[in-house]
Amino acid sequence: MLKSTLLILTLMADDGTRLTLSTYDSPDECEGAREVVTQVLTDAGQEPVVTMCGKTGLRLTPYIHGAPRRAEVNRYRVELPADGGFTVIPLTDETCEDAPDADPVVYCTLSAQQVISTGTEPAPETGAETKTETGN
């Protein structure tokens, strides 16, 4: 099932890009959270690379504020097409190369958040398959 999801990309001290995904009950709730998070990060001098709401079936473990850099071992490819939305792809052994001027724009990211569900497995309550991890 697709859920309203806030995508946040921020720069880490080593110039890597951190991914944070948080789900919300509605697009309006997501947008409200996006505005607050953007303001908090900006006020702290850490303007985000990207903050946007979309819909995705991808589920990650909850974000934990203050997770140490060494915990950010999960790799994700984030694609931002010019026509909007986002796609987050969990990586294992695949290579990833940032492409800030391409369409889609590509960010290779790290996160302490782990995959719970990719959104393509059968939903436990219905057995129906859910959509991929594209946010719109």
Side-chain angles (χ1 to χ4, degrees):
M1 177 162 105
L2 299 179
K3 290 208 48 135
S4 293
T5 303
L6 175 57
L7 167 76
I8 304 168
L9 300 181
T10 54
L11 288 179
M12 297 185 286
D14 64 1
D15 290 330
T17 305
R18 173 184 295 115
L19 163 77
T20 304
L21 282 183
S22 299
T23 58
Y24 293 90
D25 291 331
S26 72
D28 288 341
E29 186 180 333
C30 183
E31 184 58 29
R34 186 196 68 75
E35 290 175 6
V36 169
V37 167
T38 300
Q39 189 63 52
V40 167
L41 289 170
T42 302
D43 288 350
Q46 188 178 358
E47 190 163 335
V49 176
V50 173
T51 59
M52 66 185 307
C53 291
K55 292 210 177 252
T56 181
L58 181 67
R59 298 291 173 271
L60 301 183
T61 54
Y63 170 73
I64 299 172
H65 182 72
R69 172 68 175 89
R70 68 182 174 276
E72 294 174 332
V73 296
N74 303 291
R75 298 173 51 239
Y76 299 93
R77 177 185 172 102
V78 177
E79 298 178 358
L80 306 173
D83 60 353
F86 60 81
T87 302
V88 177
I89 304 162
L91 300 175
T92 52
D93 295 330
E94 303 90 345
T95 60
C96 184
E97 191 170 319
D98 287 331
D101 299 320
D103 185 14
V105 171
V106 174
Y107 291 98
C108 304
T109 67
L110 292 172
S111 180
Q113 293 177 276
Q114 299 175 345
V115 173
I116 296 172
S117 169
T118 61
T120 58
E121 299 88 0
E125 62 278 358
T126 65
E129 201 164 276
T130 58
K131 278 186 105 174
T132 61
E133 53 276 334
T134 299
N136 288 320

